[in-house]
Structure formats: structure tokens, C-alpha cells
Amino acid sequence: MKYNRILLKLSGESLMGNVQYGIDPERLNQYAAEIKAVVEEGIEVAIVIGGGNIYRGVQAEESGIERVQGDYMGMLATVINGMALQSALERIGLFTRLMSGIKMEQVCEPFIRRRAIRHLEKGRIVIFGAGIGNPYFTTDSTASLRAIEIQADVVLKGTRVDGVYTADPEKDPSATRYSTLTFREAYEKNLNIMDMTAFTLCQENGLPVIVFDMNKPGNLLKILKGEKYGTLIQ
Ligand code: UDP
């Protein structure tokens, strides 16, 4: 295996699958199966999940809600998604821990770095909920920060396209996919892979990022076996 400890970033929106709002159970179970295949290979898996299928802080101001309040609402949304994913993983026999950036003892553990690493060493899947626990950040920044903290080998950003393209492939049919990029190239070409905070954290700490299609069955495992799918940024 090319990587031993990974951080998988899943957006909240991807959990919507075929529904208009919230969580599509079919998609949830599909993701759980993909993750199981990886865990069975002995890879340590940490997951950061977004909340965009339920709430995003930037929406708040449109409805007269203060931005900071909206951001906390978005963080709580990620905990809901984390709980759903935790259940789906446990239903298929996996061991998990949900750790939150905001204390909520009745539903999950607080994030403690050493404890998170210990869970991973014991083969438990660790899901990081509530982002980093601070407003004005995103779950992409959370993914980069937590990956660095737990010394993950790579951030795998699961999306609905199979990598980074020269233009939006859903709008421009002539767009072509990059198989590899340096952080500098991605920045100079303005490729918008992650927000700048997340991007800078990865670049400064030499943490590679792979953007790949999470919806294609078997893709996650193939990438971890070193097969070239998606775009590697390093
Ligand atoms: N959020 C935040 N701090 C964090 C992580 C998330 O304030 O550390 C809020 C922010 O409002 C964001 C929302 O939670 O819009 C949901 O996360 P995100 O938009 O990153 O989810 P995704 O786009 O991946 O579904």
C-alpha cells in the first residue's frame, strides 16, 4: 500500500446523493462500503465530513442570521453527518470514534490529538466532527489541519469529478484532467482545489492532496494501491 494513514475529506453535499436535502441512505451505505474495503487492507482511516447538505455559514447572512452564529450552525451540521456515517460504518462491523471540535459529551468525544492517534493505531476509524470548532473556517481547512496533527500520509478529497481539470468539466467539454500538479502550479493557475487556508497548510507542511471521484465504486482502494486515478497535488 502506498499510504498507511489517510485523511479522507467528504463534503456534506456528496451525502445528498439523489435527495434534495439531508442524507441519502444509499449514498451513505455506499461510502461506508468503500471505507470498509480500505480498512480491511490495514490502512488507518480518519475522516472529516462537511455540512453543506444541511447548512453553511455563508447562507446565514441572507436570512438575517449573524455569520458567526451561522458558522456554528454549519459545524453542528457536520456532527449530524458524522453521526450518520458512524452508524453506517458500525452497521457493517467497523469500529469508530466520533471526535468533535466542540464539546458535546453525550454524543461524541472531544478532539484530543493523542487520543485520536491511539484510536487509529487500534484500527478504529476516527471521524472528526464540528470542524476545528471555530467560525470562519471550513471543513477543508479542518481536513488539512487534522491530517497534519495526526501525521496522515495524504489528504484524499472525495468529489464527484475524477480530479482537477483545466476548466469545469461539467460546463466545458474540452477541459482536460491534470494527473499531477505542484502546489505552486495549482496556485498560479488559480485552480480552486481547496480554500486558501487549507491549501497553504498542506503546502507548508508537505502534505500531499489527492482529488478523486468518491462516487465510482472501488476508486478509493485503487488510489491507495498506487494506481493513478484522480489528481495528485504535492
Ligand atoms: N465551519 C466553521 N468552522 C469549521 C468548519 C466548518 O465555521 O472549522 C462551518 C462553516 O459555516 C461551513 C459549515 O460549517 O460553511 C459547513 O462546512 P463546509 O461548508 O466546509 O462543508 P462542505 O462544503 O464540505 O459540505
Side-chain angles (χ1 to χ4, degrees):
M1 284 291 163
K2 196 156 180 234
Y3 304 104
N4 295 318
R5 180 178 292 166
I6 64 162
L7 192 138
L8 175 65
K9 162 72 208 299
L10 298 173
S11 74
E13 231 166 51
S14 67
L15 284 187
M16 276 200 299
N18 295 319
V19 301
Q20 296 300 311
Y21 174 84
I23 301 166
D24 178 353
E26 217 171 284
R27 179 56 62 78
L28 188 67
N29 293 331
Q30 180 198 335
Y31 283 179
E34 294 292 310
I35 294 162
K36 184 176 187 178
V38 166
V39 172
E40 282 174 345
E41 294 289 334
I43 294 172
E44 295 175 7
V45 180
I47 304 168
V48 168
I49 189 140
N53 55 325
I54 301 172
Y55 203 82
R56 279 206 177 92
V58 283
Q59 281 168 242
E61 277 161 347
E62 297 161 17
S63 45
I65 296 172
E66 202 191 340
R67 168 69 194 265
V68 172
Q69 183 89 336
D71 277 341
Y72 279 110
M73 291 164 72
M75 286 183 253
L76 296 183
T78 73
V79 177
I80 293 176
N81 286 336
M83 291 172 75
L85 185 61
Q86 178 173 43
S87 292
L89 292 167
E90 286 182 343
R91 212 170 27 238
I92 54 173
L94 298 167
F95 297 95
T96 69
R97 290 291 185 273
L98 174 60
M99 302 190 108
S100 171
I102 296 174
K103 266 198 192 170
M104 43 181 99
E105 282 148 22
Q106 282 80 358
V107 284
C108 47
E109 295 181 10
F111 169 68
I112 297 170
R113 188 180 77 92
R114 288 174 201 278
R115 189 179 283 181
I117 292 171
R118 191 76 193 114
H119 288 323
L120 292 167
E121 287 169 348
K122 287 186 174 172
R124 296 171 183 148
I125 299 165
V126 178
I127 305 167
F128 296 119
I132 62 167
N134 289 309
Y136 295 104
F137 287 88
T138 64
T139 48
D140 275 352
S141 311
T142 309
S144 310
L145 178 64
R146 295 288 187 248
I148 295 162
E149 287 183 280
I150 62 163
Q151 294 171 322
D153 302 315
V154 64
V155 171
L156 288 148
K157 188 174 154 93
T159 64
R160 40 180 201 181
V161 282
D162 61 349
V164 181
Y165 279 75
T166 48
D168 184 348
E170 287 174 351
K171 290 181 191 145
D172 181 351
S174 68
T176 55
R177 183 173 60 84
Y178 295 104
S179 61
T180 56
L181 278 166
T182 63
F183 284 107
R184 178 178 283 273
E185 281 167 340
Y187 177 74
E188 283 170 358
K189 293 181 199 296
N190 207 6
L191 289 173
N192 238 343
I193 296 162
M194 299 168 124
D195 64 77
M196 278 315 288
T197 310
F199 190 84
T200 310
L201 272 171
C202 292
Q203 183 176 25
E204 286 182 351
N205 292 281
L207 177 66
V209 179
I210 297 175
V211 178
F212 74 105
D213 183 355
M214 180 70 190
N215 295 337
K216 213 187 257 170
N219 233 6
L220 179 62
L221 185 60
K222 280 184 190 160
I223 285 169
L224 294 171
K225 285 187 167 163
E227 293 177 35
K228 294 225 178 318
Y229 291 89
T231 301
L232 168 68
I233 306 110
Q234 63 184 357

